[in-house]
Amino acid sequence: MPRQTKEEIDEEILEHAAALFARHGFAETSVQRIADAAGYSKTGLLHRFPSKGAIWDAAIGKCAGVIHEIAGVEELPVGPERDRLLLAGLVDLGLSSPGLMSLTLAMFSRASAEDDRDEIGMIADPLLTAFGIGRDQDGDLGRAVRVIAALGAIVIPVVALSDFEPRTQLREHLIAASYDALGHSR
């Protein structure tokens, strides 16, 4: 088995950290808990990331970068085709990185947390904008609820079925379920 690259190790650590941050929040997630989940010593983890804050920043940055890439569908008008592309990208994220997908959804539940305002904006705002809505509560409330339900229709099964193999068999079912949550007919 080939050795992992530095980037692969860092991504593995960030995946575990993102899942823990999503489940327990920043304050309740210790460096030791992240190290244990990732299978590293606390010292080894701190060699790669100098603090819990650095791990948080890297996980949020990774998540924001992926969301920015997924949300890059501006050439299409808001509607079913654009929604399907966004959902497919989010499903692919969920299947490859359930921790990052969980952290994405967790950002929506923290929308009133003043201390996380910048991080929420880096993740939630581009995603909501890509779906044609904003976090400011203006616009179509029904659409906003359906978008959040569609995200839940991805992340909850991805986490609940984390042991299901092959994960690729879940892809079309997750896209269909989340597309249905948006109220589109297939």
Side-chain angles (χ1 to χ4, degrees), residues 23-134:
R23 180 175 297 141
H24 304 289
F26 179 82
E28 297 301 317
T29 301
S30 67
V31 172
Q32 185 63 59
R33 185 181 251 174
I34 296 168
D36 291 345
Y40 290 92
S41 68
K42 183 177 177 180
T43 303
L45 184 71
L46 289 172
H47 178 73
R48 303 189 89 70
F49 297 95
S51 67
K52 181 171 78 168
I55 299 168
W56 169 259
D57 290 344
I60 291 293
K62 175 78 174 166
C63 196
V66 171
I67 293 302
H68 180 75
E69 189 176 306
I70 291 168
V73 293
E74 297 86 12
E75 71 280 358
L76 294 173
V78 174
E81 183 182 353
R82 181 170 171 163
D83 287 348
R84 184 173 271 292
L85 282 175
L86 288 167
L87 294 171
L90 290 166
V91 165
D92 291 341
L93 170 63
L95 291 173
S96 66
S97 301
L100 289 177
M101 186 65 196
S102 295
L103 186 57
T104 298
L105 190 59
M107 288 292 106
F108 288 93
S109 69
R110 302 177 58 80
S112 63
E114 287 297 323
D115 56 333
D116 292 343
R117 186 73 58 205
D118 291 340
E119 290 89 349
I120 293 165
M122 289 171 56
I123 295 169
D125 289 348
L127 194 51
L128 291 174
T129 299
F131 278 107
I133 57 176

